[in-house]
Structure formats: structure tokens, C-alpha cells
Amino acid sequence: NPPMLHILAPPPPPLCLGVIEAKVQAGPSPEGLCRLLSSSSLGTDSIPQPLGFDRESAGPLYTAVRTMLRHGGYKPAGRGKPASEYLARVFETESALNPILNLVDVNNVISLHSGFPASILDGDLLLDPVEVCIAKTSSSYVFNTSGQEIQLDGLLCVHHQDGTPCANPVKDSMLTKVHENSRHIVAFIYGPREDPFPERIELSLQWYSALLSTFCAASEIETTVITNDSL
């Protein structure tokens, strides 16, 4: 049973960070999870969507997230927009998100229906302890199987113990992405520090736990919410 991931230092003041860690079973997404990726489903009878999130009135939340990402000088626009906005755009265009893997799909459901960008990483590939801080100038990493890179200058990133960036609210590194053999995950929900967002991140973590338990046979689930004044 791995201990809850250790964060080396408080995240920068604009950020409220939700963290969830669990043992899981990766595999194809079952029908119930696929329904959560479709246009008509925000929850199930046994796992109601707790957030009351309405994408049509999400402008203030999206604006707050973009403001948070500008803290280090990053420009969150175009292809560099927050992952939650990217998912919402795909959802509006296609009326559904395509299933990928149960772990990825749970993360996408949470991000889509909370409005917060989120990352899910293979906990066995993540070198503990980690630090969430602004990426160094001229840093980058590959984010997909085609070898495309994202420039990280000024962007809030999760960094390995050795200082290597591996995840952020826009696109995650191939270095630590979950896969069909993943058995241990660490996920991050990134939100603004000001109220009411920390409370909504806490609710998002509760929903994340429920979805992992139901669709990924999760066990040993631990969650925490971290702000600059909580460490």
C-alpha cells in the first residue's frame, strides 16, 4: 500500500490542488461509464453527479482557471487552452466523448462535468515526492503517441522528484500516462484558490472516488485538497 503522495512544497498561491490516489484495475470502459461520456448523462442512479455544473454558464469558472494559469506567464489559449475547455469543445461538437480506457474516461468525466482541468498518472511511474510549480524556461515534453511536444514555459506543472515535468492542466506527458496495465493511479484536479472553488474541488474528489470504485475496482483510495496555506 503506497503512502499518499508527498508534495514537496505548497503549490503557487493561485492554485487549489485536489489529489486522489488509489489502487485500480485498468480495462475497457463498461457501459455505465460510457453513458457518462454521452450528452444526456451527468450521473447514474447509484452515482449522482454532485456538482450541479452547467457548461452553458461556465464562463466565470473557465475565466478563473485561465487566470490561474497566467500566474507564471503562460498564455492559455488556442491549442494551449485548459483540458476542461478542450473536452467541453469536443463534447459540444460530437455530443459525446469517445471511450479510451476506464481510468482515462473517469478523469475525462470529472473534468468535463466539473469544469476543472485534471490529470491522471500512473503512480508507479511517478517519482515521489513531487512538486507543483511553474515550469522552467524552454522546458517541454511529448504529450501523445505521435511525438508532439508542448512548450511549458510559465505553466503550472507537476514535477517528478528529479525536477522533470510530467503533467499540467493542459496536456500530460507520455512519461507517466496511465495504460492498460496500470494498477496504481495518482490524479490531480487543478482549480483556483478563491471561493467557492476549493469546496467544488472537494466534491469533485468525492465523485472521482465513487467513479473509480464503481468502474475501476478501486481500493485504498486517499484524497486531499492542498492550498498554499495548508502545508
Side-chain angles (χ1 to χ4, degrees):
N1 178 24
M4 186 68 187
L5 187 77
H6 180 242
I7 309 292
L8 278 176
L15 178 64
C16 178
L17 187 69
V19 187
I20 183 167
E21 185 168 5
K23 294 287 190 66
V24 294
Q25 292 181 15
S29 289
E31 181 180 352
L33 180 52
C34 290
R35 284 200 302 270
L36 291 174
L37 298 169
S38 70
S39 58
S40 60
S41 299
L42 297 185
T44 67
D45 291 340
S46 58
I47 313 174
Q49 205 273 66
L51 302 174
F53 177 65
D54 178 6
R55 283 182 304 282
E56 293 184 359
S57 59
L61 171 55
Y62 291 153
T63 297
V65 169
R66 287 195 179 208
T67 299
M68 173 189 76
L69 295 187
R70 291 191 182 98
H71 174 71
Y74 180 76
K75 296 180 179 180
R79 294 184 179 182
K81 67 171 66 72
S84 47
E85 287 191 50
Y86 170 80
L87 291 172
R89 180 63 59 87
V90 172
F91 190 85
E92 291 166 4
T93 302
E94 305 294 336
S95 297
L97 300 179
N98 290 326
I100 300 170
L101 181 76
N102 59 350
L103 303 175
V104 175
D105 294 340
V106 164
N107 192 72
N108 285 347
V109 165
I110 293 296
S111 184
L112 176 68
H113 295 310
S114 72
F116 297 120
S119 302
I120 185 167
L121 312 181
D122 187 304
D124 293 329
L125 300 176
L126 188 62
L127 302 179
D128 186 27
V130 303
E131 185 171 10
V132 181
C133 57
I134 303 299
K136 295 179 180 179
T137 302
S138 300
S139 57
S140 64
Y141 58 56
V142 174
F143 66 85
N144 63 16
T145 55
S146 299
Q148 290 181 291
E149 293 189 355
I150 178 174
Q151 296 300 313
L152 304 174
D153 298 41
L155 181 56
L156 288 162
C157 289
V158 178
H159 291 73
H160 274 305
Q161 175 189 61
D162 64 1
T164 303
C166 56
N168 62 56
V170 180
K171 300 180 188 299
D172 297 329
S173 171
M174 290 298 294
L175 186 67
T176 50
K177 280 193 175 181
V178 292
H179 50 84
E180 60 185 10
N181 293 317
S182 294
R183 295 294 179 266
H184 168 209
I185 63 93
V186 179
F188 301 90
I189 300 175
Y190 313 91
R193 173 65 184 87
E194 65 266 24
D195 291 333
F197 302 120
E199 181 180 356
R200 293 179 62 82
I201 287 177
E202 180 65 50
L203 290 172
S204 298
L205 287 173
Q206 293 174 17
W207 196 32
Y208 211 133
S209 297
L211 295 180
L212 286 176
S213 296
T214 300
F215 299 119
C216 308
S219 61
E220 301 175 23
I221 302 173
E222 297 185 62
T223 65
T224 188
V225 176
I226 304 172
T227 61
N228 192 265
D229 56 5
S230 64
L231 287 177

